[in-house]
Amino acid sequence: LSSKIRSKTPGVMITQYSASLPEGKSTPDFQCKPVPVTIPEGKLAVFRAVVTGDPKPDVSWRRAKGTITDKEKFQRKYDESTGEHILEIYKVTATESDTYKCSAVNEYGKAVCTTTLSVIDGKSLPQFSLYFFLHKFLCFSKEERAGGENDEKFWDALLNAEGKDYERICKENGITDLHLILKKIEEKKKQRGQNKHRINISNQKLNQAGTEEDLLLMEFTRKFYRNNLGCSAVATLIYNHVFAVSNVDFVIKIQEINVEEADNALFECVLTHPLPQITWMRKGLILEDGEKYSITVSEHKLIHRLMIKDCNKTDKGIYSAVAGITSCSAWLVVEAIKVKQAAEKVRNGKTLKINGEYRNGTDQHLRNEDKKKTVFFSDPGVHFIWGLSDVDAIINETAELTCKLSSDDYEGAWFRDGKKISSDDIFFITKDGPIHKLIIINCAEDHTGKYRFEADGRKTEAMVNVKDPPIFNPEDLCAFTEPLAIKVGHNAIFKVQFVGHQPIKIQWFRDGDELQDDSSAKIENSAGHSRLLLSRCQRKDMGEIKIKLKNEHGFTEALSKLLVLDKPSPPQGPAEVTESSASCIEFKWRPPKDDGGSPVISYMLERQQVGRNTWKKIGEMKGGPTYRDTDVDRGRRYCYRIRAVTAEGISEAMETDDMQASCFIIQSYAFHDCINLSWSPPSNTGGSRILGYVLEKRKKGSNLWSVVNAADEKYAVRDVVEGIEYEFRVSAVNLSGAGESSNPSEFAFARDPKKPPGKVTSLKVTETSYTNMVLTWTKPEEKPGIQDEAKGYFVEIRQADSLEWSRCNTTPCIVTSFNVRGLRSMEMYWVRVITANDGGEGPPEELPNYVLAMPSPVRPKFTKRMKNFMVVKAGNSVRITVNFEASPRPEIVWLKDNMLVSKRVTVSNSDCSSQLLIPSSERSDSGVYSILVKNLVGQETSSTEIRVTDDPKPPGLVELEENVPGTVTVMWEPSPDEKRDDRLHYTVSKLDSSKRTWTPVADRLFNNRFTVCNIVHGREYHFRVFAKNDMGISEPSESPTWGTEKKKDVLPSLLEKLVVSEMASKDCYECYMSCAVKGNPSPHITWYRNHVSLNTDTNYYISNTCGVCSLAILSVGPKDMGEYKVIAENSLGRAECSTLLSVRGEWERGTHSVTLRSLILIAIFCLSFRLNKLRTSVIR
């Protein structure tokens, strides 16, 4: 379970989610928590908090009795300079008086603190009270310090004077003990230095626009500050009255200045709110406008300036600007000027200031003085009243740089990054007297840079930083901020578009808790759009929805509200009878605990008379939870069903206990020897006074009533036996006789009253989840006379930020365990158990620590790990499933090579598993995939390497080389897949002419060459090279034959000239031409007829077998006449021969009885003869 730890700041509650924290990490804590504010109505209330923690916590604000979604009323800010989280409430009214909670959350814990806002009606405040108090205080302080050495003006003069003037001031004021004065001056200087760090309050009076009370208040604070009264109550009064309303801060603080002697130095600051005057200080002393210092303020009261004239080395130090309770400081560094530079300026008409005296400079004078005195000069030329200030501009908006010269007679020039700029479509330069402005229209990112303005040799510089923070689309933002109301079980969709510099971190929150992708929430993000889908929403899902966008330039937030509407829960019982008589029954009940998001319109009632099976519809009753039934019969008993009706539907019924319509309600209080009875008189006396009553009693299980006479409405029945139950009835007696008896009362035990039980013991939580928790306890002991036996138990819970307890069971449970349901996920609850018996309820027993609605923490662990290596063929799907155990629900992140997986990868998560799916894999999907499962307890990782590949392509050209006799080096060009697959390798096989089987000679070669040994001279060898990877093996690349003598290159030549043969078939003549050709390399043969190539003509049959080239004309006709030529070509040359074919006439049919088969046999015989002849000539 989560543990509660102690905060360094009182009033802060810290929850640590895990037992131990990683090194360097910490839970959130409040370094400065928001203080309670009491403020008049209509003013601005401000809460400030400073939080710490690593990682940096997310801070949210909530209030106990309402929401803070109204943006016009509530503004949440973050001040990067001070690290303060600010909640501003504008124009406060009485409805904002409430308890406010500030929560800081990171992945290791949660810190919560509360504060209050009290709003005072401004009309009821006495207008004179503060004035009277301050006036009285000032008068008292003046009387106390009047005269002598305690006079305020005397000490001010001493503290502001130099040491040589002390004696003169003491003589003027009649002080003779100079030694004592010097000692007290040192004490007051130390005291003033300490007070400067406590409160920096301006002692200057407001301008004419201020009220008399404000002037008096400022005078009071000045005197209070100077005298260090040490009254915290007065300081609190000043703070609440002045600064809770005027919350001034610095937009631009004063900056360090380096100047040369005799130059002027200008400090400048800009405030958030107009202020007529601020305090300038140096070394604890307040600076005033005069000859040495020039203090100015702009017309709009926002820009304040301090100019130090004619700076010298004594002016060096830290200067401070004090506005309200905030201040800023900066150094003034004064550098000495060289004599030669001064002389050069004097020659140009400058004036010299030498040891305080102005003189016209001459070279001779400078030579005389350069070794003895320090030389200063003053430049009467133009100077800057105020210079440029750094500007943080927003993209597509306007930025403005402004400076002011001491004279309006000078034209200046503007520069950006050293390059001069002029007015155009982007830059707009204006001059209004001495004020020069540069306006950048529609700022873009490339407008960032250093801007400079120069005039008469003087220059001022400033940086313009164009930022592109996330900005919501205005239309989407307007729609998003409207509350979304849906019915229970439906889906809620929030979406918004935005622009900003990428990357942008997008976070969704519900009631301050960050939402993650899971079964109930789905977050879809793109470059400029984000969408949140909440599935099947229930009542517990309603609350504040927040989206936060953050990039390196800033962040922005938007708030909405989710309302989930449902039918109400049943009205709450038990029903309480407020009146019961013979003619009516009136009772009341409590409204539903949950109205379903809609107010209750009415109640539907049904009635049943006890003993019958039918229910009678009474109807729909508008108004409050009460009903008066006048249609009753005296003595009858009734029960009722009550249903709540809202716009969303009708609730389930709440059934009441039996109620009796009777003229008497008998109440009993029993002891072991006496039962005290009381009843109210009848409303109808029958027209005469009541003389007495007839009281009857009956034992339980008996039918016999015994009479006991009673004179009034109270009677003690003493004729009882201890341990027996009795019931009673009563009838009234008047002058006419006895009336009808009442219905029997409830049974009463004749025994002494029970004592309430004691506290339960060993109360503990045995099981927790996001929605429920199980409690167990031990029954309290029975102590006679002190505490009796417990008959039942009530369980109550309350949220950590609430003071109201809620009872979980309406009727007491009799077992010593209880399952509390309906909790809100990750919410903190306090729990207590109350015992009960017939004597009442006992004292509650409360758990010492709150309970967090979450399962018992379980560090993530994998129940089924991934394989270390997987090979997938390109195009196939990749599916990785990981099973784990973790509680609470972990955050799951998939990484590829330590980077987030791409969008084409689908990740599906559940409470105990996660699956990664790549529908169609590519080679680029290869890499190491890791899963990170992290929750509040710890984290676990697992990795696998996925290789997406395909059957490799074969290697390139294979070459053979002999470097050492008896070896052959096989070299080949790499496969095209080698660059894409680092696991691809090669295999080499050998074929020996003596064995005629392929034998592997090398495997798993990662280079492109291999030397084969044991090569026998005279044998022929062939080599094959294969490419292999995890998927398979490629087709081989074969080498040329090794071991045969290389033939010399030979020119083509014709061994036999063209020979023409004739053959006759039954129907036509056939012609056959052939020749013998040799050459190395083997020549290419081309046939021509009349210089036209015949190689592609289908009417001719051409063949080349072992150097015998032939051409056959199957059907010779006049069209085949002409010159036939054969050309043999290779790389060395060509050879050719030709012949003429003449067709003399027709072959007469029937002259020859030669069949086609005979012709074919003759052709084969001739071909064989010529081949044999050719082989014989080659061998020779």
Side-chain angles (χ1 to χ4, degrees), residues 161 375-376 434 517 561 609 622 645 828 852 984 988 1076 1125:
V375 180
F376 303 91
D517 260 339
K561 190 172 183 180
Q609 183 178 324
K622 298 185 181 296
V645 180
M828 296 177 290
L852 195 62
L984 184 139
V988 178
K1125 181 188 296 184

Side-chain angles (χ1 to χ4, degrees), residues 753-759 780-789 835 837 839 841-843:
K754 288 283 187 180
K755 296 288 185 181
K759 291 183 179 181
E781 294 182 3
E782 183 179 358
K783 299 179 181 179
I786 300 176
Q787 60 187 39
D788 287 333
E789 181 185 6
T835 55
N837 61 10
E841 294 183 357

Side-chain angles (χ1 to χ4, degrees), residues 66 96 200 223 333 412 448 467 627 630 721 739 792 948 967 1033 1154:
E96 277 78 55
N200 289 325
K223 296 179 183 297
V333 179
T448 297
K467 297 187 175 182
Y627 179 66
T630 57
V721 178
V948 180
T967 65
I1033 190 168
V1154 181

Side-chain angles (χ1 to χ4, degrees), residues 405-478:
L405 298 175
S406 59
S407 173
D408 57 359
D409 298 333
Y410 290 87
E411 296 288 342
W414 290 91
F415 298 86
R416 184 182 76 177
D417 295 332
K419 296 181 180 179
K420 188 175 182 181
I421 56 177
S422 57
S423 292
D424 54 19
D425 294 339
I426 300 175
F427 301 102
F428 182 65
I429 299 175
T430 64
K431 177 180 180 297
D432 183 10
I435 299 176
H436 296 258
K437 290 185 179 180
L438 171 64
I439 301 174
I440 306 174
I441 305 170
N442 292 331
C443 292
E445 291 186 6
D446 56 356
H447 294 154
T448 297
K450 182 181 289 186
Y451 289 76
R452 184 174 78 249
F453 179 76
E454 293 185 1
D456 192 35
R458 301 294 181 107
K459 63 182 180 179
T460 176
E461 295 180 344
M463 286 295 299
V464 174
N465 298 311
V466 180
K467 297 187 175 182
D468 188 11
I471 299 175
F472 291 107
N473 182 288
E475 296 181 0
D476 287 0
L477 182 61
C478 182

Side-chain angles (χ1 to χ4, degrees), residues 506-548:
I506 306 171
Q507 294 173 288
W508 287 90
F509 298 86
R510 178 171 59 200
D511 286 338
D513 298 328
E514 185 174 359
L515 296 173
Q516 303 290 346
D517 260 339
D518 54 24
S519 57
S520 61
K522 181 69 175 177
I523 300 175
E524 298 176 358
N525 297 327
S526 62
H529 179 270
S530 184
R531 179 176 179 265
L532 170 65
L533 171 64
L534 300 176
S535 303
R536 300 183 295 278
C537 294
Q538 303 299 319
R539 286 282 296 162
K540 62 182 180 65
D541 296 324
M542 64 184 299
E544 181 185 79
I545 303 297
K546 179 177 77 173
I547 180 175
K548 180 178 179 181

Side-chain angles (χ1 to χ4, degrees), residues 77 146 160 190 221 234 549 667 675 741 804 809 854 895 945 1024 1176-1177:
K77 300 179 180 178
N160 295 326
K190 291 181 180 179
T221 56
V234 177
L549 307 178
Q667 297 178 345
I675 298 177
S741 297
E804 191 172 325
N809 52 326
M854 58 174 281
L895 304 173
E945 182 179 359
R1024 286 179 178 175
T1176 303
S1177 62

